[in-house]
Amino acid sequence: MAWDVVIAGGGFGGYYAARTLERVLPQHSARITLVNDVNFLLFTPLLPGAAAGTLEPRHVVVPLREQLDRTDLWLGHVSGAAPERNELIVDSLDGRRHELRYDQLIVALGSVSRTLPIPGLVEHAIGFKTLSEAIALRNRAISLLEIAETIGDAETRAEYLTYVFVGAGYAGLEGLAELQDFVSDVIDLYPRCRVQGMRFVLVEAKERVMPEVAPDLAAFAERELRGRGIEIRTNTTIEEVGERAVTLRGGEAIPTRTVVWTAGVKPHPVVAQLGLPLTDGGRIDVDETMRVRGRANVWAIGDAAAVPDPTRKGQPSPPTAQHAIRQGRRVARNVAAELGAGGAVRPFAYKTLGVFVDLGRHQAVASTMGIKWRGFPAWFLARTYHMANMPGTKRKLRLLVDWTVSLLFSRDTSELGQLGHPPELEHPRAEAADRAASPTT
Ligand SMILES: Cc1cc2nc3c(=O)[nH]c(=O)nc-3n(C[C@H](O)[C@H](O)[C@H](O)COP(=O)(O)OP(=O)(O)OC[C@H]3O[C@@H](n4cnc5c(N)ncnc54)[C@H](O)[C@@H]3O)c2cc1C
């Protein structure tokens, strides 16, 4: 009888778990099923490139069906679980409910943007975590330039030309840097806006930007961004977000139509519906082998799980793709060991190899195995690293082509927000009424 191994979530952790299981489990010994709500893996380190128009949106994702050979991809939304019956509850895209039975379950459902109870935040701010948010941001930047160009009053126009990013971790910093790079590339096409200029503000509650990297590298990144005219407000929080302004603590109001919220992540809310133990931070409580406490056949990895960090006693692993990938590979081997396919169940062991923060304009900061890099060499290293990690030769080549094209040509300013939203066909009755109303010739 073949075992049923089910993986919930096909991001970095889930995808690498499936790939490793395909390799380590003997043919026909197990059915591997991967449940995901989209049929691709989003390669998040390249999201700022998609927002800035240097990369085609389709080139920052990895189609799961192309990359997985022996895994059944099940497209649907995980909505709950019954661990006592070994069942995962999945709603398929057409709304049918399924109970997927498993012998071993790996939960890798990732995270969502962590919001705070700030008035107006949910209504007016945009996140920067999904492909739709990244593309919406790019489209919005172009629409706002188009609108601003039609406004005569400079004060009102300024609202449309100001961007406020909240949260100076690497996602916020890269997103802001790439977007500014994009806008400064295209602004020459908008004469009124060019004369007035753009304003970019980065707000951070902590005392410095990018707590993930060494202070001297963070200081380099800060100098680089300030040199481009980006205002950086550390030790600052926001009090309210409105349609036309954001108010900082202390009462200063910055007129803006765009607030981008990049102030951290929290586990996907559905993990609280799986009947599994959670830590105070809401991540799934697992031991060092990534087995869920009290559940012999359930494992959890990535941003959704509090996997003990082998290098920082008592702390969970940071929510990074580097960790999720290694946890995916290790958990697959642990599951294989549990099913008697060889090896032993081992704890997760990994030390961060490096951090790369792309600042656009051929600038970056990086720290790899104790060596610090900045400027062009860091930028080159960051791109090489991301390309090396992109699964599949075809996809690596696509990145290379996009990057080369963006070095040689200016960026495209078409605003294609209408893609995927076709107009409805006109109802025949309305057409007949129109004909009746207009005289025939
Ligand atoms: C802009 C940005 C830049 C980043 N850059 C870096 C970087 O340079 N280096 C780095 O190491 N990390 C980076 N990260 C962090 C990294 O993306 C995450 O840590 C990593 O994706 C976590 O992997 P995961 O498998 O836990 O979750 P994910 O990769 O998020 O995968 C979760 C999967 O589960 C699916 N899912 C969620 N809910 C459901 C549901 N109910 N039903 C079915 N499927 C569901 C999701 O669609 C997704 O496919 C970045 C993140 C962002 C937002």
Side-chain angles (χ1 to χ4, degrees):
M1 186 200 75
W3 301 105
D4 276 309
V5 182
V6 174
I7 304 167
F12 281 102
Y15 167 71
Y16 278 92
R19 274 220 346 191
T20 311
L21 281 169
E22 288 185 351
R23 242 175 268 141
V24 297
L25 287 177
Q27 283 275 1
H28 311 301
S29 68
R31 274 184 296 267
I32 309 165
T33 305
L34 176 67
V35 184
N36 203 42
D37 52 4
V38 285
N39 70 355
F40 55 79
L41 149 71
L42 173 61
F43 203 92
T44 48
L46 299 178
L47 207 53
T54 22
L55 293 174
E56 269 297 308
R58 280 186 190 81
H59 298 172
V60 301
V61 302
V62 180
L64 291 166
R65 285 189 192 277
E66 270 179 32
Q67 295 296 325
L68 295 169
D69 300 326
R70 279 177 52 200
T71 302
D72 285 336
L73 177 64
W74 191 299
L75 221 59
H77 182 83
V78 174
S79 56
E84 60 298 336
R85 294 200 305 272
N86 292 340
E87 282 173 1
L88 183 73
I89 300 167
V90 182
D91 298 326
S92 54
L93 297 188
D94 58 357
R96 281 172 298 131
R97 177 152 287 197
H98 306 266
E99 277 107 29
L100 287 191
R101 218 202 63 78
Y102 60 81
D103 295 300
Q104 299 285 327
L105 172 67
I106 300 170
V107 181
L109 289 166
S111 55
V112 295
S113 297
R114 177 174 53 92
T115 48
L116 297 174
I118 296 169
L121 177 70
V122 174
E123 292 80 3
H124 302 296
I126 176 173
F128 191 64
K129 190 149 180 3
T130 63
L131 189 56
S132 56
E133 286 165 335
I135 303 309
L137 194 59
R138 177 190 176 278
N139 287 337
R140 187 186 179 97
I142 298 169
S143 307
L144 294 185
L145 280 168
E146 297 289 355
I147 298 171
E149 198 58 22
T150 64
I151 295 175
D153 169 42
E155 207 175 304
T156 312
R157 199 186 305 125
E159 289 170 17
Y160 292 84
L161 299 179
T162 302
Y163 289 80
V164 178
F165 274 65
V166 187
Y170 54 65
L173 221 93
E174 285 189 336
L176 169 65
E178 290 274 7
L179 191 73
Q180 195 231 14
D181 200 6
F182 168 62
V183 175
S184 49
D185 241 21
V186 301
I187 201 166
D188 280 351
L189 302 170
Y190 300 86
R192 271 184 173 167
C193 299
R194 188 190 60 222
V195 170
Q196 181 153 351
M198 303 288 300
R199 184 179 180 197
F200 286 88
V201 185
L202 179 61
V203 176
E204 168 57 48
K206 298 206 184 87
E207 63 187 6
R208 74 165 169 101
V209 301
M210 287 197 302
E212 306 94 336
V213 306
D216 54 337
L217 287 181
F220 173 84
E222 195 171 325
R223 270 200 311 279
E224 168 69 29
L225 296 181
R226 283 191 199 278
R228 295 182 199 170
I230 295 172
E231 297 168 41
I232 300 179
R233 311 281 188 93
T234 47
N235 287 316
T236 305
T237 52
I238 58 169
E239 266 180 1
E240 191 174 355
V241 185
E243 197 187 338
R244 300 180 57 181
V246 58
T247 311
L248 306 183
R249 187 188 56 198
E252 183 190 348
I254 302 177
T256 179
R257 295 269 171 172
T258 314
V259 176
V260 186
W261 181 256
T262 55
V265 295
K266 64 173 186 186
H268 199 289
V270 78
V271 304
Q273 309 301 319
L274 303 181
L276 302 174
L278 304 179
T279 61
D280 289 346
R283 293 169 93 177
I284 301 172
D285 194 7
V286 297
D287 65 18
E288 63 283 359
T289 67
M290 294 164 285
R291 197 193 300 262
V292 176
R293 291 188 202 278
R295 295 280 166 197
N297 61 343
V298 185
W299 313 75
I301 56 173
D303 289 8
V307 179
D309 187 338
T311 59
R312 299 179 307 155
K313 228 180 158 34
Q315 300 282 317
S317 299
T320 76
Q322 292 184 34
H323 286 81
I325 291 170
R326 271 78 182 185
Q327 288 166 6
R329 289 186 182 135
R330 182 68 251 165
V331 85
R333 292 181 188 281
N334 286 353
V335 166
E338 199 69 14
L339 295 177
V345 174
R346 295 222 173 88
F348 167 64
Y350 173 63
K351 190 167 176 288
T352 303
L353 280 180
V355 181
F356 301 89
V357 183
D358 194 333
L359 302 172
R361 296 198 194 169
H362 310 149
Q363 297 293 311
V365 291
S367 158
T368 53
M369 291 181 282
I371 306 167
K372 294 174 191 158
W373 307 76
R374 59 179 74 163
F376 181 80
W379 174 82
F380 188 74
L381 209 62
R383 289 217 160 166
T384 311
Y385 176 79
H386 291 323
M387 199 170 73
N389 278 302
M390 172 60 88
T393 314
K394 252 184 352 192
R395 309 211 76 78
K396 286 187 196 345
L397 282 175
R398 285 184 173 149
L399 288 183
L400 203 60
V401 169
D402 278 2
W403 280 330
T404 310
V405 167
S406 73
L407 284 176
L408 300 176
F409 302 104
S410 59
R411 285 181 248 207
D412 200 314
T413 53
S414 324
E415 198 275 276
L416 299 179
Q418 55 180 262
L419 283 187
H421 306 284
E424 277 180 23
L425 287 176
E426 197 177 351
H427 199 284
R429 277 200 301 267
E431 208 183 304
D434 277 353
R435 265 205 308 272
S438 58
T440 49
T441 50

